[in-house]
C-alpha cells in the first residue's frame, strides 16, 4: 500500500505562502509529492492554494463534514510527510 493512500479522507486542502520562509517545507513537500498523491487517490479532491502571508496548513475533511487541520509552519518535508500520514489515518 502506498504511503499516500487516504481512505477516510473526503477532501485535502493545502494552504501556504508562496514566498515566506515558514512555508518552505510545505512548498518542497507539494513539489515532490503532489503527483504521487493524485496517482494513488485519483478521485480525492486535493486543493493546493498559495496565498500571500497565510499560515501554512493542511486540512483534511472526513465523513459528515468533520475537519482536522494541521499547522506545518517551519516544518521540513520529512516531518510534514509524517504529520500528514497521522492526520489522514
Amino acid at each position: 500500500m502506498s504511503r499516500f493512500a487516504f481512505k477516510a479522507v473526503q477532501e485535502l486542502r493545502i494552504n501556504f505562502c508562496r514566498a515566506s520562509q515558514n512555508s518552505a517545507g510545505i512548498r518542497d513537500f507539494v513539489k515532490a509529492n503532489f503527483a504521487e498523491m493524485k496517482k494513488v487517490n485519483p478521485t480525492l479532491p486535493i486543493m493546493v492554494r498559495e496565498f500571500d502571508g497565510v499560515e501554512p496548513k493542511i486540512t483534511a475533511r472526513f465523513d459528515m463534514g468533520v475537519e482536522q487541520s494541521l499547522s506545518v509552519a517551519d516544518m521540513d518535508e520529512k516531518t510534514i510527510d509524517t504529520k500528514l500520514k497521522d492526520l489522514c489515518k
Side-chain angles (χ1 to χ4, degrees):
M1 178 172 27
S2 171
R3 65 188 177 137
F4 294 121
F6 306 136
K7 302 227 181 274
V9 178
Q10 300 295 316
E11 178 184 272
L12 191 65
R13 294 189 304 272
I14 302 170
N15 298 330
F16 57 89
C17 179
R18 70 186 89 208
S20 71
Q21 186 57 36
N22 71 348
S23 290
I26 191 64
R27 285 193 306 267
D28 293 342
F29 177 83
V30 169
K31 189 179 210 179
N33 298 293
F34 182 79
E36 181 182 352
M37 286 191 295
K38 278 310 289 181
K39 182 178 179 183
V40 174
N41 304 284
T43 61
L44 176 66
I46 301 175
M47 292 172 272
V48 177
R49 296 192 175 136
E50 298 177 77
F51 299 102
D52 289 333
V54 73
E55 175 191 0
K57 70 178 180 177
I58 299 172
T59 302
R61 184 173 53 83
F62 300 92
D63 287 333
M64 307 296 284
V66 174
E67 291 188 357
Q68 293 182 5
S69 293
L70 168 69
S71 173
V72 293
D74 298 314
M75 291 185 189
D76 63 15
E77 186 179 335
K78 184 176 179 182
T79 304
I80 292 169
D81 185 87
T82 302
K83 297 286 187 179
L84 178 61
K85 284 186 265 186
D86 291 342
L87 176 68
C88 295
K89 284 184 178 177

